Amino acid sequence: MQVKLEDVAKLAGVSPTTVSRVLNNRGYISEKTRKKVEDAIKELNYYPNDIARSLFKKRTNFIGLILPTINNPFFSELALYIENICSNYGFKVILCNSLGQLEKEKSYAEMLIRHQVDGMIVCSYNRGIEAYKNPKLPIVAIDHYLSPTIPVIGSDNYEGGRLAVQHLIDVGCKSIIHINGPFDLETPTQNRRKAYEDLVEKPITYELNNLFNEEATAATIRQIFNDYPETDGIFASDDLIAATCLKVAQELHIDVPKQLKVVGYDGTQTVSSLLPQLTTIRQPIEDIAKTAVIKLNEIIEETQNDKTMEIILPVQLVKNRTA
Amino acid sequence: MQVKLEDVAKLAGVSPTTVSRVLNNRGYISEKTRKKVEDAIKELNYYPNDIARSLFKKRTNFIGLILPTINNPFFSELALYIENICSNYGFKVILCNSLGQLEKEKSYAEMLIRHQVDGMIVCSYNRGIEAYKNPKLPIVAIDHYLSPTIPVIGSDNYEGGRLAVQHLIDVGCKSIIHINGPFDLETPTQNRRKAYEDLVEKPITYELNNLFNEEATAATIRQIFNDYPETDGIFASDDLIAATCLKVAQELHIDVPKQLKVVGYDGTQTVSSLLPQLTTIRQPIEDIAKTAVIKLNEIIEETQNDKTMEIILPVQLVKNRTA
DNA sequence: TTGAAAGCGCTAACAT
DNA sequence: ATGTTAGCGCTTTCAA
């Protein structure tokens, strides 16, 4: 049996109330009593039961984090910052990998509600999740429009797309192809595509429907060189896709950057360590994390002054050797 | 105010017990009553409060996952699998990034205990954490010896080191250097170093004390080429270090693999996408995750038959272009 | 400065 | 087949 507050009280010869007071530093306690209680806590190696506390307080200090997969440099970097900042706020993070599946995401969202999380950060979205519609539940989204009442944090996707494509044009590309994830209006990342379409005369976008399967991505890219052998520039909507482009180019003996220039998107630390030659658009990942947590905390604490529904942070072109 | 079981009971015109029975599918309930209750649940959009349930059952279905940083391909892949498998077992994962800091790790461990986690998976270890010593707390460790009573899961580090070094020898290296993290007896990953020392005549190991700082790593590697210009082979204790070796080699105009051969360690999907040319030792990450969760679950459920304290899974040499 | 008692939302004996 | 009651471990009025 776990040691509980009552055991501490008995050993210290005081009432449970007094022990609670010492634990929470509330009300008046004589130094003598405090000492007795503290000694008892040490002696019994007592840890307060936060579940019981949460039940009473109706506050768990849990935050749910829903993302497609943590095994992706962008999300793992984002998650690292989010968890770190949350921990400064006293929040604990429950990790949920939806794998992009509606059923999984739905059941995670419901699980989080049953566990009484104080709020959720959602970086993934499949339509039709009722749980997100509850206006009482504090949620912030990253790069996804969940509902009109849920604030969205993200970087300047249009500007990122513009910087990428303009750079390809500036370095002489004539036939630029864009590769993106599934076409989906619910995410502002589609603005990367929009910028591309606005800047290029005859835009051609290839859609990747299974981002989790690198072989499928490679097959699509091979198809591109088959369909459009004149391609001399690729703007990939994330760095992993860009990496696969480089892989396929090498396999087809296409020289990068001489014959083909490639720009990726995200600019994580992991990619800059493993693939330092990649030219990419760097998102301000730490800022996104910080902004999301601060915003969520404001909603939870009901201290929101700024009711902005979409926060857009600046991006940066990082020039390296692939473009 | 959140809707609670009692509200459902009132609306359905039954007692709270009956509602609880419907929710948990326990005992006899007439179809009629069940229907009434289910309708009330729908109408009120009721979600059971798992905090209250946990308090009663003394079972939270929470698992704490402590690792140095999720923003590392090995840990993010491991965490993905662990979370996935946990979710099949009905466990929810609380993510803790210790950043290798004793104070952080200690406070995470205590937080997890206060939150009444059913168990913990620890992939990080700083000596002197009392919380791990509680024999009542189910823990499994990955690649770290926390205490004699805590089972350790990992891959065959000695064999991995042997495969890596033997391969470098086989492809003709005469002066092989090893780069490893901080020398620390508490982790079986030191067996990678041991294998190196057993296989090489005049072993020289460089220690990296700050794995989180790529620039420091690069500086150490530059130092190697300064101290030992004859170096023609490097066995790095992880792929990120290996990547930095390649970066520095390029900077110093050392041709890989002609003048220098490099073997890494881990063989994650992320590295194989971003740095496909790297020769490395692949750990069976999914198996490690699966084994850890199954073992932890056995300890929690007290159904452990196999009391093995160290489970060692096989590794594999993945030959690519850097060696 | 301290204690007694009620209750957070749920479950499970034990009754009926 | 359903309801009554007590209690999980804690906090907080309220009283002393």
Side-chain angles (χ1 to χ4, degrees):
Chain A
M1 201 41 218
Q2 276 283 62
V3 12
K4 51 195 188 188
L5 187 140
E6 203 189 322
D7 303 320
V8 176
K10 267 184 197 143
L11 181 63
V14 297
S15 76
T17 314
T18 303
V19 178
S20 172
R21 282 202 183 94
V22 173
L23 287 173
N24 297 288
N25 256 313
R26 206 186 304 293
Y28 299 93
I29 317 121
S30 72
E31 266 319 305
K32 223 183 188 165
T33 314
R34 154 169 277 127
K35 175 106 183 44
K36 272 193 303 184
V37 171
E38 278 166 353
D39 289 349
I41 288 174
K42 278 235 176 67
E43 190 175 334
L44 295 173
N45 194 26
Y46 168 72
Y47 292 100
N49 182 331
D50 271 353
I51 291 293
R53 206 177 264 189
S54 293
L55 180 59
F56 186 91
K57 295 245 192 120
K58 295 164 186 300
R59 238 286 204 168
T60 57
N61 290 315
F62 271 122
I63 293 293
L65 175 62
I66 300 186
L67 37 76
T69 166
I70 190 76
N71 189 25
N72 166 299
F74 176 72
F75 291 116
S76 68
E77 189 167 326
L78 187 65
L80 171 65
Y81 287 124
I82 287 178
E83 193 280 318
N84 251 287
I85 301 162
C86 277
S87 128
N88 293 146
Y89 279 85
F91 286 127
K92 295 96 197 172
V93 173
I94 302 173
L95 175 66
C96 306
N97 296 285
S98 73
L99 303 179
Q101 295 166 219
L102 169 63
E103 279 314 313
K104 281 210 125 216
E105 184 166 345
K106 191 187 267 183
S107 84
Y108 276 124
E110 287 170 5
M111 175 277 275
L112 293 173
I113 290 175
R114 290 198 311 268
H115 270 284
Q116 315 297 113
V117 293
D118 293 341
M120 300 175 33
I121 297 178
V122 180
C123 320
S124 160
Y125 181 50
N126 289 283
R127 251 163 295 193
I129 298 183
E130 291 300 315
Y132 295 152
K133 305 228 170 97
N134 181 351
K136 309 284 267 177
L137 179 68
I139 305 186
V140 303
I142 290 178
D143 274 344
H144 288 270
Y145 300 120
L146 303 202
S147 98
T149 59
I150 296 176
V152 185
I153 324 291
S155 59
D156 194 336
N157 289 286
Y158 190 88
E159 176 66 4
R162 199 193 64 72
L163 283 169
V165 177
Q166 189 59 54
H167 178 67
L168 286 169
I169 293 171
D170 291 349
V171 294
C173 296
K174 302 292 177 215
S175 302
I176 302 171
I177 297 261
H178 179 46
I179 309 179
N180 208 315
F183 182 72
D184 177 353
L185 286 171
E186 323 282 332
T187 156
T189 60
Q190 286 299 329
N191 287 325
R192 300 174 194 174
R193 173 202 193 118
K194 190 155 186 323
Y196 162 75
E197 289 172 348
D198 288 352
L199 256 74
V200 165
E201 288 226 349
K202 218 185 58 171
I204 300 162
T205 298
Y206 275 72
E207 231 177 292
L208 257 24
N209 285 306
N210 190 349
L211 287 172
F212 303 119
N213 180 341
E214 204 200 346
E215 198 29 60
T217 302
T220 303
I221 296 166
R222 280 185 210 107
Q223 192 59 43
I224 293 177
F225 293 115
N226 192 62
D227 296 349
Y228 302 96
E230 71 276 20
T231 302
D232 59 1
I234 292 182
F235 167 38
S237 69
D238 79 41
D239 291 339
L240 250 25
I241 300 174
T244 307
C245 289
L246 300 179
K247 213 187 228 179
V248 171
Q250 181 161 57
E251 168 193 318
L252 300 177
H253 305 290
I254 297 171
D255 186 277
V256 175
K258 264 187 213 148
Q259 296 167 265
L260 174 72
K261 304 200 193 323
V262 176
V263 177
Y265 208 104
D266 286 344
T268 56
Q269 290 164 16
T270 300
V271 171
S272 101
S273 294
L274 295 172
L275 195 62
Q277 71 267 35
L278 183 69
T279 293
T280 189
I281 302 297
R282 172 164 302 149
Q283 298 204 57
I285 304 185
E286 185 168 8
D287 272 357
I288 294 175
K290 194 175 289 179
T291 308
V293 177
I294 289 176
K295 188 87 181 175
L296 182 60
N297 188 244
E298 284 173 3
I299 301 176
I300 292 171
E301 301 282 358
E302 298 181 319
T303 57
Q304 228 190 142
N305 33 17
D306 177 7
K307 296 268 183 186
T308 318
M309 275 299 136
E310 184 161 5
I311 299 176
I312 297 176
L313 300 165
V315 293
Q316 201 185 339
L317 171 68
V318 181
K319 287 187 215 176
N320 284 305
R321 299 194 303 281
T322 63
Chain B
M1 200 43 219
Q2 277 281 62
V3 9
K4 53 194 185 189
L5 187 141
E6 202 189 321
D7 302 321
V8 176
K10 266 185 197 142
L11 180 63
V14 297
S15 77
T17 314
T18 303
V19 178
S20 172
R21 284 202 182 94
V22 173
L23 287 172
N24 297 288
N25 257 312
R26 206 187 303 293
Y28 300 94
I29 316 120
S30 72
E31 267 319 304
K32 222 181 187 166
T33 314
R34 155 168 276 126
K35 175 109 185 41
K36 273 195 303 188
V37 172
E38 277 166 354
D39 289 348
I41 288 173
K42 279 236 177 67
E43 190 175 333
L44 295 174
N45 194 26
Y46 167 74
Y47 292 99
N49 182 332
D50 271 354
I51 291 293
R53 207 177 263 192
S54 293
L55 180 59
F56 186 90
K57 297 244 193 123
K58 297 167 185 298
R59 236 289 203 168
T60 57
N61 291 314
F62 272 122
I63 294 292
L65 175 61
I66 301 187
L67 36 77
T69 165
I70 190 75
N71 189 25
N72 167 298
F74 176 72
F75 291 115
S76 69
E77 189 168 326
L78 187 65
L80 171 65
Y81 288 123
I82 287 177
E83 192 282 317
N84 251 286
I85 300 162
C86 276
S87 127
N88 293 146
Y89 279 85
F91 287 128
K92 296 95 197 173
V93 173
I94 303 173
L95 176 67
C96 306
N97 296 284
S98 72
L99 303 179
Q101 295 165 220
L102 170 63
E103 278 316 312
K104 282 210 125 214
E105 185 167 345
K106 191 186 265 183
S107 86
Y108 276 124
E110 286 170 6
M111 175 278 274
L112 292 172
I113 290 175
R114 289 198 312 268
H115 269 285
Q116 314 296 113
V117 292
D118 293 340
M120 302 177 31
I121 296 178
V122 180
C123 321
S124 159
Y125 181 50
N126 288 285
R127 251 163 295 194
I129 298 184
E130 291 301 315
Y132 294 152
K133 305 227 171 99
N134 181 351
K136 311 284 268 174
L137 179 67
I139 305 186
V140 302
I142 291 177
D143 273 344
H144 289 269
Y145 301 118
L146 303 202
S147 99
T149 59
I150 297 176
V152 184
I153 325 289
S155 59
D156 194 336
N157 289 286
Y158 189 89
E159 175 66 5
R162 201 194 62 73
L163 283 170
V165 176
Q166 189 59 54
H167 178 67
L168 286 169
I169 294 171
D170 290 349
V171 295
C173 296
K174 302 291 177 215
S175 302
I176 303 172
I177 296 258
H178 179 45
I179 309 179
N180 208 315
F183 183 71
D184 178 354
L185 286 172
E186 321 283 332
T187 156
T189 59
Q190 286 299 328
N191 287 325
R192 300 175 194 174
R193 172 201 192 121
K194 190 154 187 323
Y196 163 75
E197 290 172 347
D198 287 353
L199 257 73
V200 164
E201 289 226 348
K202 219 187 60 180
I204 300 162
T205 298
Y206 276 73
E207 231 177 290
L208 258 24
N209 285 305
N210 190 348
L211 286 172
F212 303 120
N213 180 342
E214 204 200 345
E215 199 27 61
T217 301
T220 303
I221 296 167
R222 279 185 212 107
Q223 192 59 44
I224 293 177
F225 292 116
N226 192 61
D227 297 349
Y228 301 96
E230 70 276 20
T231 302
D232 59 0
I234 292 182
F235 167 37
S237 70
D238 81 41
D239 291 339
L240 250 26
I241 299 173
T244 308
C245 289
L246 299 179
K247 213 186 226 177
V248 171
Q250 180 160 58
E251 169 193 318
L252 301 177
H253 305 291
I254 297 171
D255 186 276
V256 175
K258 264 186 214 148
Q259 296 167 266
L260 175 73
K261 306 202 193 319
V262 177
V263 178
Y265 208 105
D266 287 345
T268 57
Q269 289 164 16
T270 299
V271 171
S272 102
S273 294
L274 294 171
L275 194 62
Q277 71 268 33
L278 183 68
T279 292
T280 188
I281 302 297
R282 174 165 301 149
Q283 297 204 56
I285 305 186
E286 185 169 7
D287 272 356
I288 295 175
K290 196 176 289 180
T291 308
V293 177
I294 289 176
K295 187 89 180 171
L296 182 60
N297 187 246
E298 286 173 1
I299 301 176
I300 293 172
E301 301 282 358
E302 298 180 318
T303 58
Q304 231 191 140
N305 34 17
D306 178 9
K307 297 268 182 187
T308 318
M309 275 299 137
E310 184 160 6
I311 299 177
I312 298 177
L313 300 166
V315 295
Q316 200 185 340
L317 170 68
V318 181
K319 288 187 212 173
N320 284 306
R321 299 194 302 281
T322 63

